[in-house]
């Protein structure tokens, strides 16, 4: 009897002692146009910030290419479908991600990571945070891009104006692959090799729908004073009302939502969609806002 009482006391003591802390969920980051994985004032800063706030977290900031210059160049010129496939290979081969991970995409990295969620369910993406991503496409009019005075931006603008939906431009210019012209909807649906596919514009891929609906949360951040994304409501999955370029409609009024082609209606009703607004221009936010609004989805 004494031995039994001692065993019970030992078990009670163990129950009072805290066990080892659960490991933080890994985070995968994908940068935006003209940026790179490890820029110290952008993605490098974000990575260090997350690592400081969540000790022990594993953060993978995606690099597409063998060096930072290639990574930046590929954000303009590497076929998006090839980029997504490359990222899927990186994630599948990373032993630290096999139990699942959170994903955070900045600007075009937001819609690219959504494609990863839809196409590559292993390892599983748990939460997707899109910060300024253009999920119904961007950039009707292409108002500006990083380095407004650069010849590269001028060339991209002219190329998009002249032939965004031609095969050569679609296959070799990243921004054309999510160019959504509300005055040329049929051309967009027929010829867009990336966005029209992941947005189910040419038919329903049930696997895409199932995989996206597996997310715990899909967080979309819209910059309330955005001068770079046209229309800014694309950051909340809204767009121009078809056939004109003045009136916009929210996600809930689009056919994509009403027909539930991606499962967004069902996700919305289940509380899985989160719409956040932040004052400021494109990708301009404070550390305080990031701490209070984004970190809770990573912990």
């Amino acid at each position: 009897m004494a031995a039994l009482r001692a065993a019970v006391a030992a078990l009670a003591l163990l129950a009072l002692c805290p066990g080892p802390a659960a490991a933080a969920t890994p985070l995968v980051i994908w940068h935006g146009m003209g940026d790179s994985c490890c820029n110290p004032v952008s993605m490098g800063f974000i990575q260090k910030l997350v690592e400081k706030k969540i000790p022990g977290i594993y953060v993978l900031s995606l690099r597409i290419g063998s060096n930072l210059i290639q990574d930046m160049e590929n954000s303009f010129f590497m076929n998006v479908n090839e980029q997504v496939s490359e990222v899927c290979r990186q994630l599948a081969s990373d032993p630290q991600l096999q139990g699942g991970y959170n994903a955070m995409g900045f600007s075009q990295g937001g819609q690219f990571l959504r494609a990863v969620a839809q196409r590559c369910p292993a390892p599983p993406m748990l939460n997707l945070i899109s910060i300024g991503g253009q999920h119904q496409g961007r950039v009707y009019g292409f108002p500006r891009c990083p380095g407004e005075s650069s010849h590269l931006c001028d060339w991209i603008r002219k190329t998009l104006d002249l032939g965004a939906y031609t095969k050569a431009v679609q296959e070799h210019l990243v921004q054309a692959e999510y160019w959504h012209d509300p005055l040329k909807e049929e051309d967009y649906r027929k010829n867009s090799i990336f966005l029209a596919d992941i947005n189910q514009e040419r038919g329903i891929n049930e696997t895409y729908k199932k995989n996206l609906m597996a997310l715990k949360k899909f967080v979309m951040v819209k910059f309330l004073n955005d001068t770079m994304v046209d229309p800014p409501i694309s950051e909340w999955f809204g767009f121009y009302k078809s056939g004109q370029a003045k009136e916009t409609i929210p996600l809930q009024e689009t056919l994509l939502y009403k027909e539930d082609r991606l499962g967004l209606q069902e996700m919305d009703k289940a509380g899985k969609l989160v719409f956040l607004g932040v004052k400021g221009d494109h990708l301009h936010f404070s550390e305080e806002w990031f701490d209070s609004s984004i970190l809770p989805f990573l912990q």
Side-chain angles (χ1 to χ4, degrees):
M1 182 63 72
L4 178 60
R5 284 197 296 267
V8 170
L11 289 172
L13 183 61
L14 286 173
L16 292 173
C17 295
T25 301
L27 174 64
V28 173
I29 298 173
W30 199 336
H31 63 78
M33 174 177 65
D35 202 355
S36 68
C37 68
C38 312
N39 186 331
V41 299
S42 56
M43 296 301 98
F45 174 79
I46 293 293
Q47 180 170 350
K48 288 183 178 179
L49 178 61
V50 171
E51 291 171 342
K52 180 178 72 172
K53 300 292 183 178
I54 310 177
I57 189 173
Y58 172 67
V59 180
L60 172 63
S61 188
L62 293 166
R63 186 183 74 189
I64 313 299
S66 59
N67 55 57
L68 301 189
I69 293 177
Q70 283 188 6
D71 190 22
M72 183 274 290
E73 291 176 342
N74 286 335
S75 74
F76 290 109
F77 301 119
M78 182 177 177
N79 182 293
V80 179
N81 292 314
E82 294 177 7
Q83 291 193 53
V84 170
S85 294
E86 166 60 22
V87 166
C88 290
R89 287 191 291 269
Q90 289 187 32
L91 302 185
S93 64
D94 190 327
Q96 300 203 60
L97 302 178
Q98 300 314 301
Y101 64 95
N102 293 320
M104 183 163 57
F106 292 82
S107 196
Q108 69 183 23
Q111 59 261 33
F112 296 173
L113 278 172
R114 175 164 64 86
V116 172
Q118 292 175 209
R119 294 175 178 176
C120 307
M125 184 185 296
L126 305 178
N127 294 303
L128 171 58
I129 302 169
S130 168
I131 299 181
Q134 305 100 50
H135 294 280
Q136 280 280 22
R138 132 188 207 197
V139 189
Y140 179 69
F142 204 68
R144 66 180 179 87
C145 71
E148 177 62 36
S149 62
S150 73
H151 295 301
L152 175 61
C153 291
D154 290 339
W155 179 83
I156 290 174
R157 188 178 295 108
K158 291 176 182 177
T159 301
L160 290 170
D161 285 338
L162 290 173
Y165 296 123
T166 62
K167 183 177 180 181
V169 174
Q170 280 287 309
E171 291 183 351
H172 300 290
L173 182 59
V174 166
Q175 289 67 40
E177 295 177 52
Y178 55 89
W179 174 272
H180 188 172
D181 189 336
L183 305 181
K184 299 179 180 178
E185 289 283 359
E186 188 57 36
D187 285 344
Y188 158 70
R189 283 190 290 269
K190 181 180 179 181
N191 298 308
S192 170
I193 66 172
F194 173 69
L195 190 69
D197 175 64
I198 66 168
N199 280 3
Q200 309 273 47
E201 298 283 4
R202 292 188 285 265
I204 306 299
N205 182 326
E206 292 294 341
T207 299
Y208 281 5
K209 183 174 180 178
K210 175 184 176 183
N211 291 342
L212 189 65
M213 290 177 65
L215 290 172
K216 293 180 178 180
K217 294 288 184 182
F218 178 11
V219 181
M220 288 170 271
V221 176
K222 174 187 172 186
F223 291 89
L224 302 179
N225 309 104
D226 205 316
T227 63
M228 184 172 178
V229 174
D230 186 359
I233 200 171
S234 181
E235 296 170 6
W236 279 350
F237 234 123
F239 200 60
Y240 287 114
K241 191 173 182 179
S242 185
Q244 48 84 60
K246 292 183 179 180
E247 182 184 354
T248 61
I249 56 176
L251 167 64
Q252 290 78 4
E253 295 180 22
T254 65
L255 285 177
L256 176 70
Y257 184 92
K258 291 179 178 179
E259 297 175 354
D260 212 15
R261 298 200 302 262
L262 271 176
L264 294 171
Q265 182 184 137
E266 190 169 338
M267 292 176 72
D268 196 15
K269 291 177 179 178
K272 289 187 171 186
L273 301 186
V274 180
F275 301 89
L276 300 180
V278 56
K279 292 181 180 179
D281 204 347
H282 194 62
L283 299 186
H284 290 190
F285 56 86
S286 68
E287 183 175 334
E288 291 73 21
W289 174 84
F290 186 86
D291 288 352
S292 62
S293 300
I294 301 301
L295 278 181
F297 296 102
L298 303 179
Q299 294 172 317

